[in-house]
Amino acid sequence: MSAGSGIEVPESTSPLGTSSSFMSAPLSRRKLFKRAGAMALGLAVGPELLAACSSSPSTTSAAKGSASLADVSIQLNYLENVQFAGTLMAMSKGYYKDAGLNVTVLPGGPNLAPEPVVVSGRALVGVTHTAEGAQAILNGAPLKIIGAAFQKSPTCLVSRASNPIRNPQEMIGKTIGVSDTNLPIWKAFLKVNNIPPSSVKVNTVEFSTQPLADGQIDGLIGFYTNEPIILDLQGVPTYAFLLADFGYPIVDDIYIARSSDLADASTRKQIVGLMTGEAKGWRAAFADPHEAASLAVYDYGKSLHLVFQQQFESVKAEQALVTSPATASHGLLWMTPETVAETVKSLALGGTNATPGMFTNEILTEVYSNGIIS
Amino acid sequence: MSQPEVSQPNRSRAARLLASVPAGWLEGLAGSAVLLGLWELMTAVVFPGRHVVPPPSQVVAVMFHDGFYLSSLGTTLSEAGRGWLIGNIAAVAFAVLALFVPRLSKTLQQFGAITYCVPTVAIGPLILIFAGPDATKVAIAALSVFFVSLIAWMTGLRATDQASLDLVHAYGGGRLTELVRVRLRAALPSASGGLALSAPAAILGAIIGEYLGGTHGLGVAMVSAEESFQVARTWAIGIVATGVSGIAYGLILLVVRKLGGDPQVGTVTGAAVHDRGARRSVFTRAGRLAGPAVSLGVIVAIWALALKAFSLSSYFAKSPAAVWSFLFKGPSSTAHRNAVLQALGVTMHDAMLGWLVGTGAALVGAAVLVQLPRVRAAIFPMVMTLRSVPLIAMTPLIALVFGQGVTGVTVIAAIVTFVPSLVLVASGLESAPPQAIELARAYNLSSMGTLVRIRARYATPSLFAAAKIAMPGAILGAILAEWLITGSGIGHLMAASLIGSDYGVLWASVVVASAVSLVLYEVVGSFEGVAQSRLAS
């Protein structure tokens, strides 16, 4: 095994990693969490109270100053790393505050489903995987999909460069690691490429690249922005192809919100503000990937012991997936009728009968009413 | 302030330190050192070039480099500590209630058993909706603690000798005086064992909660390290979690000893209560059925009312009626039932295999421990460490070493089984009355013969007591392993249903898995009773 793996520390200590932001940013976050705690207390009484509690400040948001900021939360579907570079940048640059919001970021984890958190009103907006969100709506969750971070899903098949799997046909006879999260995607992907499920051996893996590095499996369904970079940096050269490039085009990391919150004028305004922050945050992340990575490694995700170089490379890889000709002309996070149609088709292959009606650009239309952010 | 040590001014600090170490720790230390050496050697010989097992030297280096994950540790300990406190307070309240209203005793104990049998990993996402991110971790920790402590307190409060009680009554003391003056004090040995054992359980619960997400915490750091392929760090965090659990356990025991207590870990390890007072008449057998029915009714009522009170969306919050309809009445209930039962079958197979292996190993281990006291001193600390291993932290590592298939699940179920069984069976073997042992010696029975003919007989109830706790434990361990590593079983079904927003399946799986564990607990418990009454007769 490569010497010192696990104690990787980048030579390039970021300017943000030094005392100034080290001290100030975490402090302000701690305050945020205290507020969140106070809010959670109120929440325990019932969802109705949340609406009252979160909408009341917005009526006075005309007045400047932190006292008038509305407290809202965004539920992520994973830990605070650069998968949410837009969110981290929006926090750090104050884009949410500019929109009159005091946003609490709720990190997710392997065992978390964001949809119930949004449906119960604990978070105003959630970030989730497309199939999971669409399935929740199909099962009766009163949610709408109001934007998509990834125009092209980063879901990929990564293999060792020494034993590369270059296309779906080459998976036949191999052992592929698939996490529970990706199982529906996997089934759909096999179907669209006419590969009989029995011809590929599947191992369940959970958020770990070790089995691939050790040769227990030949390939791994992962994120283009994570696993290939992680393995390359650890001295295991990889080959990766996007599922989207082989018959499975789909958006990912979709933003969801309650239909009732879209209908209510004050919560709708907050959602517009939050999504404005997200769009600006993503733009800022691509303008300065170094800072986005620094925020994750040295600031918000400090306890995660992230590796700077991994995070930095991830932001750069994300740019090609989050931006597209469509976002250049309509703005970031936008979902064109074509992307929606492709996504619906891909979801149907996995047994999720989504409809275009689940997706709406109404919030983004308001976000970009004074000019697009791309 | 004058200290007794003043009389020995020449004793060096080190000597005093050594003297303060309880007997047997040196052997324990030696045992651990041998283990570490073997590990280092193994990584060089067995696993070279593999990324699974880093040498301990590298793990220690990362641990130092990362500053022992202090901020993460603080978060996890805060969650675990609050959960531990809440769980124990609730346990004391329940135990006192059971003491004052003996008719409720059985029901309260079953209520505790239900909390023990529910797979917390699966209900975490549901608790989150009620409690929010921080309180959820505390709640899961409290849930993980409750049953262990309840049994310890119930056993302890009953342990009072009649003479002391008579004394209180003679002086006109009421039940409250009796409780405060006599029973609570008498309960201390057993209760402190429960307090200590519940500390690792609370930490495990907090870490399970952290898999739901968070900014700080050992679980959060663990997930991140695992995902970004930092193998040594993954191990380092797992070891820190284990170490802290062990320290918490040891500290509580130490504090209790300092306060003059004599903690009985053996009798409550794995939370097995010996129902010494229970009489096996037809009447109590009927009571055995009525008890669970009442506690189940209470649970179902709380469940239904909570959903009503919080007016949660029915897409994820399934009522008891909805789960019933999903499994038995709805249009595709047959298909649902088959899916759940099939998955359950896989889980039961793996869990019971693990239970068998774990129990077999424990029987051999207990025999060795009783026969060779020196080995016992060397091994026992390690056994207790194993008890403190936060399972969720070690599950992925075990999977990497033993593979992702059945073996990994079985190993985890076996580990869950091994420790309580070993401790209980060992104490059972030693519970043989000295007269019987003397008699065996008089008849020239060898030490081995005594073990087989005499001691084994006295250990039978302990074996059932261990199984009562270990069988549901093995199922829970298997579910956790399936959730995290394998693509089969009811644990996998739960994880997949969460990802697929299919909450009908999730709730039904939780209910079915809990029910099966509970039934096993009750059935084995009745065997335990029979074995005990045979021994007594």
Side-chain angles (χ1 to χ4, degrees):
Chain A
M1 109 180 266
S2 65
S5 80
I7 34 174
E8 211 83 11
V9 171
E11 294 298 308
S12 51
T13 306
S14 94
L16 276 162
T18 53
S19 56
S20 62
S21 81
F22 231 50
M23 299 305 289
S24 62
L27 265 179
S28 62
R29 272 175 69 76
R30 214 161 291 149
K31 258 190 229 155
L32 270 176
F33 276 101
K34 265 190 194 148
R35 271 171 187 254
M39 202 171 111
L41 265 177
L43 277 186
V45 182
E48 306 89 89
L49 219 117
L50 162 78
C53 164
S54 56
S55 61
S56 58
S58 72
T59 53
T60 57
S61 70
K64 288 260 165 177
S66 67
S68 64
L69 295 177
D71 289 317
V72 298
S73 299
I74 178 169
Q75 175 69 60
L76 309 179
N77 61 353
Y78 205 61
L79 302 170
E80 283 168 296
N81 58 33
V82 293
Q83 186 186 338
F84 311 101
T87 310
L88 303 185
M89 286 301 256
M91 293 283 285
S92 147
K93 298 258 184 193
Y95 296 145
Y96 295 136
K97 286 214 165 60
D98 294 346
L101 299 175
N102 188 11
V103 174
T104 301
V105 175
L106 304 172
N111 287 1
L112 179 104
E115 297 83 9
V117 181
V118 177
V119 169
S120 68
R122 285 200 166 267
L124 184 66
V125 170
V127 179
T128 188
H129 293 297
T130 313
E132 189 177 338
Q135 197 64 51
I137 298 173
L138 283 172
N139 288 342
L143 296 169
K144 287 276 186 193
I145 299 163
I146 58 168
F150 291 100
Q151 297 294 311
K152 204 173 178 181
S153 166
T155 308
C156 71
L157 191 126
V158 53
S159 51
R160 291 183 303 279
S162 56
N163 178 21
I165 301 173
R166 282 162 297 217
N167 57 57
Q169 300 308 322
E170 288 186 4
M171 299 190 307
I172 292 173
K174 300 267 172 80
T175 303
I176 310 292
V178 184
S179 76
D180 283 327
T181 328
N182 290 322
L183 212 54
I185 297 175
W186 169 252
K187 286 179 187 156
F189 182 61
L190 289 184
K191 205 181 284 179
V192 76
N193 286 289
N194 292 318
I195 296 175
S198 57
S199 67
V200 185
K201 191 176 181 306
V202 172
N203 268 13
T204 301
V205 292
E206 195 77 31
F207 300 98
S208 172
T209 45
Q210 275 170 260
L212 182 60
D214 288 334
Q216 286 167 304
I217 54 176
D218 304 306
L220 176 71
I221 295 289
F223 261 24
Y224 189 68
T225 47
N226 284 357
E227 285 83 356
I229 295 168
I230 289 165
L231 286 163
D232 285 343
L233 287 175
Q234 299 282 351
V236 182
T238 56
Y239 185 93
F241 67 79
L242 286 170
L243 270 53
D245 291 336
F246 287 91
Y248 194 74
I250 192 168
V251 296
D252 209 340
D253 275 6
I254 51 169
Y255 291 85
I256 50 171
R258 281 197 292 200
S259 310
S260 57
D261 287 337
L262 295 180
D264 178 284
S266 66
T267 45
R268 184 186 180 92
K269 199 174 148 208
Q270 291 168 357
I271 295 171
V272 170
L274 207 153
M275 293 303 282
T276 308
E278 287 289 311
K280 284 183 180 168
W282 277 110
R283 182 177 62 184
F286 298 138
D288 192 349
H290 196 277
E291 189 182 349
S294 302
L295 282 176
V297 178
Y298 303 110
D299 204 335
Y300 299 115
K302 197 165 157 265
S303 289
L304 306 180
H305 295 281
L306 299 165
V307 178
F308 179 83
Q309 207 58 34
Q310 281 175 13
Q311 295 290 300
F312 179 61
E313 297 292 334
S314 286
V315 185
K316 289 201 292 186
E318 278 166 354
Q319 187 163 8
L321 304 170
V322 172
T323 60
S324 72
T327 62
S329 49
H330 294 100
L332 288 164
L333 319 178
W334 190 269
M335 305 170 293
T336 65
E338 295 77 40
T339 18
V340 170
E342 282 176 354
T343 298
V344 167
K345 197 174 148 222
S346 294
L347 285 174
L349 288 166
T352 302
N353 298 309
T355 62
M358 293 176 178
F359 301 79
T360 174
N361 282 317
E362 58 186 293
I363 294 296
L364 290 174
T365 307
E366 284 186 44
V367 169
Y368 300 138
S369 56
N370 298 321
I372 65 162
I373 301 164
S374 64
Chain B
M1 203 176 165
S2 75
Q3 294 284 333
E5 263 94 327
V6 173
S7 61
Q8 301 161 310
N10 292 331
R11 269 177 94 184
S12 71
R13 252 192 94 161
R16 255 183 290 148
L17 207 69
L18 270 180
S20 69
V21 173
W25 277 51
L26 272 180
E27 284 91 338
L29 219 61
S32 309
V34 168
L35 195 73
L36 274 179
L38 277 178
W39 174 7
E40 183 90 39
L41 204 70
M42 285 251 293
T43 55
V45 180
V46 185
F47 301 114
R50 291 189 72 190
H51 301 80
V52 173
V53 187
S57 50
Q58 198 187 346
V59 173
V60 170
V62 178
M63 218 184 278
F64 271 94
H65 175 271
D66 292 345
F68 296 93
Y69 313 98
L70 285 182
S71 72
S72 294
L73 198 58
T75 307
T76 304
L77 284 182
S78 150
E79 294 155 359
R82 283 175 288 156
W84 179 82
L85 200 65
I86 293 170
N88 272 292
I89 289 173
V92 173
F94 268 58
V96 168
L97 184 64
L99 186 71
F100 282 154
V101 194
R103 295 183 66 176
L104 279 181
S105 170
K106 205 83 215 163
T107 307
L108 291 174
Q109 198 184 313
Q110 261 132 15
F111 185 84
I114 292 171
T115 67
Y116 173 71
C117 291
V118 172
T120 42
V121 66
I123 61 167
L126 304 170
I127 298 178
L128 185 69
I129 308 307
F130 290 94
D134 178 63
T136 298
K137 288 148 199 161
V138 176
I140 295 179
L143 262 179
S144 312
V145 163
F146 179 68
F147 185 57
V148 180
S149 299
L150 176 68
I151 297 302
W153 281 100
M154 280 175 106
T155 313
L157 287 178
R158 276 196 226 138
T160 317
D161 65 309
Q162 199 53 43
S164 311
L165 290 181
D166 290 343
L167 196 68
V168 171
H169 297 154
Y171 279 94
R175 299 190 81 176
L176 202 64
T177 324
E178 176 193 306
L179 176 73
V180 176
R181 289 279 173 90
V182 179
R183 285 201 190 265
L184 281 180
R185 207 166 290 172
L188 206 64
S190 165
S192 55
L195 288 178
L197 282 167
S198 57
I203 292 172
L204 169 61
I207 293 178
I208 287 182
E210 283 167 358
Y211 268 54
L212 292 163
T215 310
H216 303 284
L218 289 176
V220 171
M222 183 99 196
V223 171
S224 179
E226 220 187 301
E227 193 213 12
S228 50
F229 193 53
Q230 302 169 72
V231 185
R233 182 168 285 142
T234 312
W235 281 82
I237 298 167
I239 287 167
V240 166
T242 305
V244 165
S245 300
I247 290 170
Y249 169 82
L251 269 184
I252 293 172
L253 283 189
L254 206 69
V255 167
V256 173
R257 283 214 182 93
K258 284 268 173 224
L259 293 174
D262 173 27
Q264 291 171 1
V265 180
T267 52
V268 292
T269 295
V273 68
H274 296 273
D275 283 320
R276 293 221 168 76
R279 282 160 299 275
R280 298 289 126 194
S281 69
V282 179
F283 177 75
T284 48
R285 268 185 207 199
R288 258 210 120 79
L289 287 176
V294 171
S295 21
L296 270 182
V298 171
I299 294 269
V300 169
I302 292 175
W303 165 12
L305 287 174
L307 294 194
K308 275 237 156 61
F310 285 87
S311 60
L312 296 173
S313 167
S314 62
Y315 113 82
F316 69 86
K318 302 291 180 193
S319 67
V323 171
W324 180 262
S325 151
F326 179 87
L327 282 175
F328 299 107
K329 264 177 65 192
S332 30
S333 58
T334 315
H336 294 156
R337 213 162 50 229
N338 287 342
V340 171
L341 288 182
Q342 200 185 355
L344 181 72
V346 175
T347 305
M348 293 303 290
H349 174 268
D350 297 355
M352 287 306 118
L353 194 63
W355 177 79
L356 273 176
V357 173
T359 302
L363 287 179
V364 173
V368 170
L369 288 190
V370 171
Q371 295 295 88
L372 307 167
R374 276 202 87 86
V375 173
R376 180 195 181 108
I379 284 178
F380 218 67
M382 273 191 273
V383 172
M384 290 328 287
T385 311
L386 205 56
R387 180 68 172 73
S388 326
V389 172
L391 209 55
I392 197 163
M394 285 299 166
T395 300
L397 305 179
I398 289 169
L400 287 164
V401 178
F402 292 98
Q404 309 237 330
V406 181
T407 327
V409 181
T410 306
V411 166
I412 284 160
I415 290 177
V416 174
T417 304
F418 177 68
V419 181
S421 305
L422 177 71
V423 176
L424 279 169
V425 173
S427 76
L429 289 172
E430 280 173 347
S431 74
Q435 303 95 301
I437 305 287
E438 286 299 316
L439 196 67
R441 258 191 219 134
Y443 278 96
N444 249 344
L445 210 58
S446 69
S447 162
M448 202 52 165
T450 313
L451 182 75
V452 175
R453 298 260 188 100
I454 313 280
R455 290 190 189 273
R457 203 170 108 81
Y458 285 90
T460 317
S462 311
L463 185 62
F464 283 112
K468 183 171 81 171
I469 248 359
M471 277 188 177
I475 294 173
L476 287 175
I479 288 176
L480 191 63
E482 288 166 350
W483 182 297
L484 294 177
I485 56 174
T486 71
S488 60
I490 205 160
H492 173 75
L493 189 65
M494 290 168 179
S497 62
L498 188 70
I499 298 305
S501 299
D502 201 344
Y503 291 89
V505 177
L506 181 64
W507 284 81
S509 306
V510 169
V511 168
V512 168
S514 312
V516 167
S517 298
L518 197 63
V519 166
L520 273 176
Y521 174 87
E522 288 298 331
V523 168
V524 180
S526 68
F527 279 119
E528 181 200 357
V530 172
Q532 234 158 35
S533 51
R534 283 230 178 126
L535 198 62
S537 62

